[in-house]
Amino acid sequence: EYVATYVDDVLVYSKDPMKVIHELQCDYILKGIGVPRYYLGGDILELEQPWQQGEVPIHTALSAETYIANATAKYEQAFSTPSQPFTFRAYRAPMDHTYHSEEDDTELLTPRQSSVYRGLIGSANWVVTLGRFDIAFAVNNLARYCMAPRQGHFEAALHLFGYLKAFPRGRILIDQTPYTKDDATFNDYDWTEFYPE
């Protein structure tokens, strides 16, 4: 059984989750009890068509789709003016393969723009935490410049969000098949070179 807690959010994985929830209700006031749909910004999805790899079909997945939709909408609104709406341009990759952030010598952002840049990077970092590992390199690369970002770095962050808006549906499948160490293979290594004693 697993009980995942973060501040005031609780998620229970169990054969009988309501039994655990009722036990928690003895000491805490709980709201929104039911089948989980959303937790810490991530979607908990029940797949319409189970994904089959092994003997047990997979019915559950985690996704950042709702968080991505909310974040992109928030930044599009923030970057829009009454006379000129802003929309993230769609990209097919999280980062332009020809862009070298370490060589960027464009103009430094103002303190206000730098704050917005850090917000973009923070939001993107949470998307990685929610399981979108496909953007991890781009996010980590751009995070290196949070203290003194340049216009090129900002444009690369906009590129990243354009990619997320175009491809929001990445998922992590939850395989409920019990794993035993009998299924694992172990290799013997000689570690005495590194640990002589």
Side-chain angles (χ1 to χ4, degrees):
E1 294 182 307
Y2 296 94
V3 178
T5 62
Y6 187 84
V7 186
D8 61 349
D9 287 333
V10 177
L11 189 63
V12 177
Y13 281 97
S14 171
K15 289 183 180 180
D16 187 3
M18 289 312 293
K19 181 179 177 185
V20 176
I21 292 291
H22 291 312
E23 191 69 31
L24 290 171
Q25 283 181 312
C26 293
D27 295 313
Y28 303 100
I29 298 170
L30 301 179
K31 295 186 273 183
I33 298 170
V35 176
R37 300 277 180 244
Y38 196 68
Y39 184 69
L40 300 179
D43 301 300
I44 301 170
L45 307 171
E46 290 300 320
L47 304 176
E48 294 174 12
Q49 294 289 324
W51 190 78
Q52 186 90 30
Q53 178 180 346
E55 297 175 14
V56 179
I58 296 174
H59 297 277
T60 307
L62 301 177
S63 168
E65 192 171 348
T66 299
Y67 183 85
I68 291 168
N70 292 340
T72 53
K74 177 181 89 171
Y75 284 113
E76 284 180 338
Q77 182 179 1
F79 298 152
S80 293
T81 63
S83 61
Q84 189 170 3
F86 175 85
T87 303
F88 286 108
R89 193 171 149 213
Y91 291 99
R92 298 197 53 78
M95 195 170 204
D96 182 350
H97 71 282
T98 62
Y99 178 64
H100 294 278
S101 58
E102 71 281 3
E103 296 175 356
D104 194 315
D105 60 356
T106 57
E107 187 176 334
L108 287 168
L109 297 179
T110 66
R112 168 82 175 108
Q113 292 169 325
S114 295
S115 179
V116 172
Y117 177 82
R118 285 189 291 275
L120 282 166
I121 298 304
S123 293
N125 192 43
W126 189 247
V127 172
V128 174
T129 301
L130 293 174
R132 286 297 300 270
F133 308 121
D134 56 325
I135 67 166
F137 174 79
V139 174
N140 289 328
N141 183 304
L142 296 175
R144 297 180 345 190
Y145 307 100
C146 279
M147 294 313 296
R150 297 182 175 275
Q151 185 62 40
H153 301 136
F154 186 79
E155 289 169 12
L158 296 181
H159 180 119
L160 172 62
F161 272 81
Y163 168 77
L164 286 173
K165 184 175 181 183
F167 299 99
R169 293 183 41 128
R171 297 175 176 177
I172 294 179
L173 302 174
I174 307 299
D175 187 353
Q176 299 176 20
T177 307
Y179 181 79
T180 64
K181 66 178 183 180
D182 297 335
D183 298 335
T185 57
F186 295 98
N187 298 318
D188 288 329
Y189 293 101
D190 181 6
W191 291 96
T192 54
E193 178 183 350
F194 303 103
Y195 302 100
E197 296 176 10

